[in-house]
């Protein structure tokens, strides 16, 4: 077992002995399930209406259910992922195990990657469970799988980005609550940059600001559009955040 | 094994360590003594590559702490002030994690864990969560962690804190057994501990090394005069001057409790007999008379308090630090 694997294994163990994952996971799945139900019922109501007015109904589940759902999950992730990441470094610093970790014969990059990977695996697990919903829908209806899959790809990338922001926030402080709020704050700012970008319109600055926000990149994927530009955005954002975490952890030793 | 040269550590305006130099040979046990905030932990953190020094160099097993931290870290077992344990893991799980971080695996890992569990008496608690263990057990788990990969160098920050007297003796025995094959630096503010397990003592105060020697020599060097404590039942007002008439008595202090006097005498002269005769003859009601030997404790207090009248030149081995504390 390499040190990174050892850290992943230990972090996963820590996640699953504490109630946090169970609580956060249940809330996440409950809300996603509820939203999915609501969107499906609305789609059903719309179909009935169309039947009555036009005699026949051809509704698009991709538009009516999945796009709405993917748009809503974005917001749930923004709230719950910082709760998952907040403990990663803050707890180590609070409980004085930080010094132990940094005097172990492993690089800081291995620590950061190990911690990120552990919470990313937890997130993938939760996301995997929501996969039940399209599977069940597929039993009773017809929809285009392609945008659903790219939507999930978008969720994975978006989640990874959110988690890396959370890792950074957790490295900044020894207080978990502060870490959670800092990452929610940072993510909201990233979100609102999209609004600022559209306000600035089609100028150079406006485009740069819009590009910085994850909104349009995620939207492309949800609409079934896989563009290298968007993938580059997510991967570079992720790398930047993990690199910054590395720097923050490294500089924490100097104080 | 460990060589520290002119290390200085500043936190902003505050200087935590000021040109500290010392070295530890292979197999030697060195005690770091000093009051709280003297710089013991800072020195250890620099040696374990947790933080870099502002100036100066530290070399461990031939590797520079600043340039090759990974090589240094591989060769050090470090027990920080607070045992670095994860409460949500059991003792065995925790040691597995620690071993894997240090590159142990398979049978070597299992054997190392078993060895430390036995050595530190953790057998009964090995499957319990560390969060449910008492302070003493956690401290032992912390020690097991430091010893797990059998490092040639051990750095222990107050290793016996939180243990009961029996355990303290066991841990001291353990450290004594490690001497010879391991180089050990341990910090403590319990003075008998330093005397019990260490070949050499470094006394550090205000970020400076104020003394460095064997425990015996330290107390011998500081002893500038013999001291005698005398307790009598009913001393008259002129007891002081009467005592001074005894040949060899240089100074008389009244100390604390009524009727107790502290006599400073010439070196190598035992005046107890004469003092006793005087006390009995004068009818003061002699209760107690004893020679006061200078313990390491007194040495420590004298050195770290910067008392006036103490000539540090006589104490400090190295002339350079002597001038500063005078």
């Amino acid at each position: 077992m390499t040190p990174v694997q050892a850290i992943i294994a230990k972090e996963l163990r820590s996640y699953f002995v504490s109630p946090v994952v169970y609580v956060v996971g249940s809330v996440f799945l409950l809300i996603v399930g509820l939203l999915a139900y609501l969107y499906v019922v609305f789609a059903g109501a719309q179909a009935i209406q169309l039947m009555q007015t036009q005699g026949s109904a051809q509704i698009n589940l991709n538009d009516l259910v999945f796009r709405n759902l993917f748009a809503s999950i974005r917001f749930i992730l923004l709230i719950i992922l910082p709760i998952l990441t907040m403990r990663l470094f803050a707890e180590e610093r609070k409980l004085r195990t930080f010094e132990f970790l940094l005097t172990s014969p492993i690089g800081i990059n291995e620590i950061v990657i190990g911690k990120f990977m552990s919470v990313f695996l937890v997130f993938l697990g939760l996301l995997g469970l929501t996969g039940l919903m399209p599977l069940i829908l597929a039993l009773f209806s017809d929809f285009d799988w392609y945008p659903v899959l790219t939507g999930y790809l978008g969720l994975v990338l978006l989640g990874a980005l959110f988690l890396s922001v959370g890792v950074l926030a957790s490295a900044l402080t020894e207080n978990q609550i502060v870490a959670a709020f800092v990452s929610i704050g940072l993510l909201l700012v990233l979100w609102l940059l999209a609004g600022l970008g559209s306000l600035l319109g089609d100028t150079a600055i406006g485009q740069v600001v819009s590009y910085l926000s994850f909104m349009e990149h995620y939207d492309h994927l949800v609409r079934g559009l896989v563009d290298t530009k968007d993938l580059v955005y997510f991967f570079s954002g992720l790398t930047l955040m993990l690199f910054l975490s590395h720097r923050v952890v490294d500089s924490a030793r100097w104080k | 094994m460990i060589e520290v040269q002119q290390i200085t550590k500043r936190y902003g305006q505050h200087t935590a360590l000021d040109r500290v130099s010392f070295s530890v040979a292979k197999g030697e046990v060195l005690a770091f003594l000093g009051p709280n905030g003297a710089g013991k932990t800072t020195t250890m953190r620099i040696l374990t590559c947790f933080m870099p020094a502002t100036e100066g160099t530290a070399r461990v097993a031939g590797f520079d702490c600043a340039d090759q931290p990974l090589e240094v870290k591989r060769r050090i077992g470090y027990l920080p002030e607070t045992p670095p344990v994860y409460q949500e893991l059991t003792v065995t799980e925790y040691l597995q994690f620690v071993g894997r971080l240090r590159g142990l695996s398979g049978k070597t890992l299992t054997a190392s864990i078993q060895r430390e569990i036995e050595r530190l008496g953790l057998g009964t608690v090995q499957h319990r969560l560390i969060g449910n263990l008492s302070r003493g057990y956690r401290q032992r788990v912390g020690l097991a962690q430091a010893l797990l990969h059998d490092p040639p160098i051990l750095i222990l920050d107050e290793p016996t804190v939180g243990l009961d007297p029996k355990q303290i003796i066991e841990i001291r025995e353990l450290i004594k057994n490690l001497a010879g094959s391991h180089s050990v630096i341990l910090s403590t503010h319990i003075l008998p501990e330093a005397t019990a397990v260490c070949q050499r003592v470094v006394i550090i105060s205000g970020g400076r090394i104020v003394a460095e020697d064997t425990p015996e020599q330290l107390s011998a060097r500081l002893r500038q005069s013999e001291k005698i404590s005398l307790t009598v039942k009913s001393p008259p007002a002129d007891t002081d001057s009467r005592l001074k008439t005894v040949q060899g008595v240089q100074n008389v202090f009244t100390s604390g409790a009524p009727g107790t006097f502290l006599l400073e005498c010439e070196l190598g002269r035992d005046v107890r007999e004469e003092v006793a005769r005087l006390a009995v003859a004068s009818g003061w009601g002699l209760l107690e008379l004893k020679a006061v030997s200078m313990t390491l404790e007194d040495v420590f207090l004298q050195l770290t308090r910067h008392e006036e009248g103490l000539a540090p030149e006589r104490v400090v081995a190295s002339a350079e630090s002597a001038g500063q504390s005078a």
Side-chain angles (χ1 to χ4, degrees):
Chain A
M1 207 182 248
T2 66
V4 174
Q5 288 170 327
I7 290 178
I8 295 175
K10 186 252 144 200
E11 291 300 334
L12 285 179
R13 161 88 196 168
S14 299
Y15 269 121
F16 285 98
V17 280
S18 86
V20 177
V21 166
Y22 301 102
V23 173
V24 168
S26 318
V27 170
F28 174 69
L29 292 174
L30 184 76
I31 295 177
V32 170
L34 208 62
L35 282 172
Y37 173 75
L38 288 176
Y39 290 134
V40 170
V41 170
F42 285 145
Q46 215 158 22
I48 293 169
Q49 220 173 22
L50 283 174
M51 287 271 255
Q52 285 168 345
T53 52
Q54 297 174 5
S56 73
Q58 192 63 39
I59 57 158
N60 186 344
L61 277 186
N62 287 97
D63 280 347
L64 288 175
V65 175
F66 288 110
R67 277 181 66 176
N68 286 333
L69 193 62
F70 283 129
S72 313
I73 291 183
R74 202 170 44 183
F75 190 71
I76 310 169
L77 290 184
L78 185 136
I79 303 289
I80 67 149
L81 292 187
I83 310 285
L84 286 182
T85 50
M86 66 180 187
R87 55 167 284 276
L88 283 173
F89 280 103
E91 195 177 58
E92 302 265 5
R93 290 171 76 161
K94 189 96 188 170
L95 297 176
R96 304 295 159 113
T97 44
F98 189 64
E99 197 174 338
F100 156 78
L101 215 55
L102 287 191
T103 53
S104 295
I106 49 169
I108 293 174
N109 48 346
E110 290 175 284
I111 300 173
V112 172
I113 289 173
K115 285 187 175 279
F116 170 77
M117 283 308 291
S118 69
V119 72
F120 185 57
L121 287 174
V122 171
F123 165 67
L124 285 185
L126 287 178
L127 204 58
L129 288 173
T130 65
L132 277 175
M133 188 266 305
L135 285 178
I136 291 172
L137 266 186
L139 288 180
F140 304 103
S141 60
D142 256 346
F143 57 85
D144 188 0
W145 269 99
Y146 181 73
V148 175
L149 292 180
T150 60
Y152 266 97
L153 176 66
L155 276 181
V156 169
L157 293 172
L158 190 74
L161 182 69
F162 283 15
L163 291 173
S164 66
V165 171
V167 169
L168 174 64
S170 183
L172 284 169
T173 169
E174 62 168 51
N175 187 316
Q176 297 195 27
I177 307 294
V178 171
F181 269 94
V182 167
S183 47
I184 291 176
L186 284 175
L187 292 174
L188 276 175
V189 168
L190 271 181
W191 188 311
L192 293 178
L193 280 182
L196 188 65
S198 60
L199 200 71
L200 290 169
D202 208 9
T203 61
I205 304 172
Q207 278 173 350
V208 169
V209 171
S210 301
Y211 181 83
L212 287 178
S213 175
F214 51 78
M215 292 292 274
E216 67 170 48
H217 307 287
Y218 178 65
D219 267 356
H220 290 165
L221 286 163
V222 168
R223 277 195 250 140
L225 189 72
V226 183
D227 188 344
T228 330
K229 210 170 68 181
D230 303 322
L231 300 185
V232 166
Y233 169 83
F234 283 111
F235 282 112
S236 50
L238 175 69
T239 314
L240 177 68
M241 288 302 153
L242 292 184
F243 172 74
L244 288 178
S245 309
H246 179 290
R247 300 316 304 155
V248 169
V249 170
D250 195 33
S251 72
R253 308 183 302 137
W254 296 70
K255 285 171 208 154
Chain B
M1 287 306 259
I2 298 174
E3 247 180 278
V4 174
Q5 272 170 5
Q6 299 284 312
I7 270 197
T8 299
K9 176 74 192 177
R10 287 190 206 97
Y11 299 98
Q13 292 288 310
H14 174 68
T15 306
L17 283 181
D18 189 7
R19 281 162 289 167
V20 165
S21 302
F22 65 93
S23 64
V24 184
K26 187 168 169 26
E28 194 179 20
V29 181
L30 177 85
F32 244 55
L33 275 178
N36 297 331
K40 291 173 293 191
T41 303
T42 305
T43 311
M44 294 188 154
R45 285 182 168 171
I46 290 171
L47 283 176
T48 53
C49 310
F50 177 65
M51 52 167 66
T54 318
E55 282 160 32
T57 54
R59 294 179 76 81
V60 174
F63 297 99
D64 193 297
C65 287
D67 298 336
Q68 289 167 294
L70 281 188
E71 294 299 325
V72 172
K73 287 173 187 175
R74 257 180 220 133
R75 288 164 178 79
I76 285 184
Y78 176 39
L79 172 68
E81 234 170 338
T82 322
V85 291
Y86 294 99
Q87 317 221 343
E88 68 273 14
L89 302 183
T90 68
V91 174
T92 322
E93 281 171 341
Y94 171 67
L95 292 177
Q96 271 168 354
F97 171 59
V98 173
R100 283 170 187 153
L101 285 187
R102 294 180 189 157
L104 301 177
S105 59
K107 280 191 182 133
T108 336
L109 178 61
T110 324
S112 305
I113 292 173
Q114 208 47 47
R115 185 188 67 223
E116 295 314 328
I117 282 179
E118 265 165 45
R119 173 142 72 176
L120 289 150
L122 293 167
T124 49
V125 296
Q126 58 180 315
H127 298 301
R128 284 178 56 188
L129 290 181
I130 298 176
N132 296 336
L133 296 182
S134 67
R135 177 87 172 83
Y137 272 118
R138 285 186 204 185
Q139 185 72 20
R140 284 196 264 172
V141 173
L143 269 166
Q145 164 273 128
L147 292 163
L148 190 68
H149 56 308
D150 200 25
I153 295 154
L154 282 165
I155 296 185
L156 311 172
D157 204 347
E158 310 202 345
T160 54
V161 163
L163 300 177
D164 67 39
K166 185 169 161 285
Q167 294 165 345
I168 289 180
I169 292 168
E170 284 169 10
I171 296 300
R172 284 183 193 162
E173 279 305 309
L174 176 74
I175 294 172
K176 267 197 240 177
N177 291 335
L178 290 170
S181 51
H182 299 68
S183 305
V184 184
I185 295 185
L186 63 89
S187 79
T188 179
H189 52 239
I190 309 163
L191 296 138
E193 191 161 286
T195 331
V197 295
C198 299
Q199 285 118 27
R200 220 141 49 83
V201 175
V202 166
I203 297 184
I204 185 167
S205 174
R208 293 197 186 107
I209 292 184
V210 293
E212 181 185 346
D213 216 323
T214 61
E216 297 78 24
Q217 288 204 341
L218 268 185
S219 37
R221 276 219 217 126
L222 250 203
R223 208 163 58 155
Q224 299 154 41
S225 58
E226 309 276 348
K227 286 198 178 70
I228 285 171
S229 149
L230 168 76
T231 312
V232 292
K233 202 170 172 183
S234 46
D238 64 338
T239 317
D240 288 29
S241 47
R242 295 277 302 276
L243 281 171
K244 274 188 190 161
T245 62
V246 175
Q247 253 204 343
V249 175
Q250 288 171 327
N251 243 323
V252 178
F253 306 98
T254 44
S255 67
T260 304
F261 299 87
L262 196 67
L263 285 69
E264 235 176 51
C265 319
E266 281 170 39
L267 262 181
R269 185 164 183 150
D270 195 346
V271 297
R272 277 179 290 180
E273 212 179 324
E274 279 171 75
V275 172
R277 201 172 298 137
L278 175 71
V280 173
S282 322
W284 295 340
L286 178 62
L287 294 176
E288 193 186 62
L289 182 66
K290 63 177 180 191
V292 181
S293 67
M294 193 109 183
T295 61
L296 194 53
E297 205 134 353
D298 303 316
V299 177
F300 176 71
L301 285 177
Q302 288 220 18
L303 283 172
T304 52
R305 263 197 215 142
H306 307 292
E307 275 178 342
E308 265 184 59
L310 173 77
E313 289 84 2
R314 295 194 204 174
V315 181
V316 179
S318 54
E320 46 181 5
S321 46
Q324 293 155 359
S325 44

